[in-house]
Amino acid sequence: MKSYIWTLPTRIFHWLLASFILLAFLTDEDNLLTYHAIIGYSIFIILTFRVFWGLIGPKYSKFSDFPFSFKELKIFFTNIFVSHKEYGGHNPAASYVMTAMIIVTFLVVISGALTFGIQEGKGLLSFLNDSYFKEMKLFKEIHEALSTLLIVLIVIHLGGVLSDKFLNPKHETLKSIFTGYKKFDEEKSVRLDIFQKALALIFLILFLMFLLFSFTNQGNLLLVSKYEPVNYEIKNELFVSECASCHTLYPSEYIA
């Protein structure tokens, strides 16, 4: 029987999260750092929605529906190659992986914001870019380690989806990520109430407004540097004309 499991907001934010995580890895370059930061903050908004959705969203998206019991997890793996209990939403293994992905992604964003503020002197945490913190690379290393862990979790997640396609083809789990529908022996469909629809719409509007604001506003507090830009060619015109014509121009504070 065809059952509506993953509602439209669930699927939209799922694909937004997947797309923006991919973009975050693609923009992990010094010359794309501002875009990388915008994407990181965007992921934070998506994750915040997912937390709210996990508390007051439809049945199969709620954290309370995740089967976290170790007993169920053991039974699931013991019977993974034979018929087992039908889970409308996430099975026990997927529940742990999805929860870990949410937590780790939050930590990646937070450590990224700390690195952006401490080492680049930009964003809300730019005040941490002082003599004590700015040479500290700890948070950058943590950010990179957590990013690697996130990749591992994503691979496990994709592996789980693909394995379910072969072990339980009748459920059409992979297809449900696009259509919202899975197949079960009995009806398991969910419906959104007006409050859930309003919540999803509000978050989507906030998300789009943030993107528009970030790409059009140069004074964004989440991105702006604590330092005033200095045009050294204007500030020291004689030095530029006499010396910089043959030598690379460096500010004096970078000269040992």
Side-chain angles (χ1 to χ4, degrees), residues 187-222:
E187 175 65 32
K188 293 178 178 286
S189 293
V190 297
R191 294 183 65 181
L192 295 178
D193 60 35
I194 187 65
F195 180 73
Q196 291 166 338
K197 291 177 181 177
L199 176 68
L201 181 60
I202 289 170
F203 265 96
L204 183 60
I205 292 172
L206 286 174
F207 176 78
L208 295 174
M209 287 178 62
F210 170 77
L211 287 180
L212 180 63
F213 177 77
S214 297
F215 283 109
T216 58
N217 192 309
Q218 299 297 319
N220 189 342
L221 291 177
L222 295 174

Side-chain angles (χ1 to χ4, degrees), residues 138-151:
L138 173 63
F139 291 106
K140 182 179 180 181
E141 293 171 355
I142 291 174
H143 182 64
E144 292 175 348
L146 288 169
S147 299
T148 302
L149 177 57
L150 179 58
I151 292 175

Side-chain angles (χ1 to χ4, degrees), residues 29-218:
E29 302 288 343
D30 290 342
N31 60 324
L32 298 174
L33 198 56
T34 297
Y35 298 108
H36 186 72
I38 292 173
I39 291 165
Y41 290 125
S42 301
I43 290 173
F44 186 84
I45 296 173
I46 297 170
L47 288 174
T48 303
F49 165 78
R50 186 62 186 89
V51 170
F52 277 99
W53 207 237
L55 297 174
I56 57 179
K59 175 177 170 57
Y60 301 116
S61 296
K62 284 185 176 180
F63 298 130
S64 59
D65 188 69
F66 286 19
F68 285 123
S69 166
F70 283 110
K71 182 179 178 181
E72 281 206 66
L73 184 65
K74 181 181 178 181
I75 293 172
F76 173 78
F77 279 116
T78 302
N79 301 293
I80 195 167
F81 295 109
V82 297
S83 22
H84 51 72
K85 177 181 175 181
E86 290 186 336
Y87 295 95
H90 298 294
N91 61 50
S95 298
Y96 278 100
V97 173
M98 290 301 298
T99 304
M101 285 177 64
I102 292 171
I103 294 172
V104 170
T105 308
F106 260 123
L107 293 175
V108 169
V109 173
I110 293 170
S111 61
L114 282 165
T115 303
F116 194 53
I118 291 171
Q119 292 198 266
E120 302 296 327
K122 294 180 179 180
L124 289 175
L125 302 177
S126 59
F127 65 90
L128 295 176
N129 178 261
D130 58 25
S131 57
Y132 178 75
F133 281 105
K134 68 180 180 181
E135 299 300 327
M136 185 183 293
K137 295 184 178 181
L138 173 63
F139 291 106
K140 182 179 180 181
E141 293 171 355
I142 291 174
H143 182 64
E144 292 175 348
L146 288 169
S147 299
T148 302
L149 177 57
L150 179 58
I151 292 175
V152 173
L153 290 171
I154 291 172
V155 171
I156 294 173
H157 169 60
L158 294 176
V161 173
L162 291 175
S163 65
D164 191 75
K165 177 178 174 60
F166 294 104
L167 295 174
N168 302 289
K170 71 173 186 176
H171 293 161
E172 299 184 348
T173 300
L174 180 59
K175 189 177 178 181
S176 73
I177 300 171
F178 300 93
T179 66
Y181 289 93
K182 295 173 74 173
K183 290 184 178 179
F184 300 101
D185 293 334
E186 59 183 37
E187 175 65 32
K188 293 178 178 286
S189 293
V190 297
R191 294 183 65 181
L192 295 178
D193 60 35
I194 187 65
F195 180 73
Q196 291 166 338
K197 291 177 181 177
L199 176 68
L201 181 60
I202 289 170
F203 265 96
L204 183 60
I205 292 172
L206 286 174
F207 176 78
L208 295 174
M209 287 178 62
F210 170 77
L211 287 180
L212 180 63
F213 177 77
S214 297
F215 283 109
T216 58
N217 192 309
Q218 299 297 319

